[in-house]
């Protein structure tokens, strides 16, 4: 049987105390990834449409148009129906605030 030297015992104690730190670092990293994912999920195009609808209903057409444009930009090009609807809503807002050039461009995007 080998007799443990003080340095070996000290190194084993260090390992025991350092192991929870490694696990804690992994846990913190994982938690950060989860929080960022949840935060980004809250910034979806659907939330922008809801905000735009609220602004539109109270007559804040400039803010509504900005939210609809954000929603349009965040919608995938393959989702043509949704993009068309959002472009149309933005165009209607631009028309109401007399931004004719932007309204025409948004109407053209809606037709595509």
């Amino acid at each position: 049987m080998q007799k443990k030297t003080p340095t070996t015992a000290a190194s084993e104690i260090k390992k025991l105390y350092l192991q929870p730190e490694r696990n804690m670092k992994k846990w913190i990293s994982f938690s950060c990834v989860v929080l960022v994912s949840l935060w980004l999920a809250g910034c979806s195009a659907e939330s922008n449409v809801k905000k735009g609808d609220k602004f539109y209903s109270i007559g804040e057409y400039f803010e509504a148009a900005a939210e609809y444009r954000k929603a349009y930009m965040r919608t995938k090009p393959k989702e043509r129906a949704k993009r068309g609807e959002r472009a149309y809503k933005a165009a209607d807002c631009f028309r109401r605030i007399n931004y004719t050039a932007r309204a025409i461009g948004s109407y053209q995007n809606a037709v595509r």
Side-chain angles (χ1 to χ4, degrees), residues 72-102:
Y72 177 83
M73 298 303 285
R74 290 181 176 167
T75 305
K76 295 177 184 175
K78 291 182 179 180
E79 298 176 3
R80 294 173 58 106
K82 286 184 180 181
R83 281 177 70 95
E85 176 188 331
R86 292 165 186 172
Y88 181 81
K89 287 182 176 185
D92 187 42
C93 293
F94 288 134
R95 179 187 60 84
R96 290 177 180 264
I97 58 175
N98 290 326
Y99 280 19
T100 309
R102 286 191 176 192

Side-chain angles (χ1 to χ4, degrees), residues 15-58:
K15 286 180 185 178
L16 289 175
Y17 284 109
L18 290 178
Q19 201 69 348
E21 283 183 16
R22 289 183 189 165
N23 290 337
M24 184 61 88
K25 287 179 184 178
K26 288 179 184 178
W27 176 253
I28 290 172
S29 299
F30 177 74
S31 298
C32 289
V33 169
V34 168
L35 289 174
V36 168
S37 300
L38 291 174
W39 179 70
L40 289 175
C43 299
S44 70
E46 295 298 325
S47 67
N48 290 113
V49 171
K50 288 179 183 178
K51 288 178 188 176
D53 290 341
K54 286 180 184 178
F55 284 128
Y56 187 89
S57 68
I58 61 173

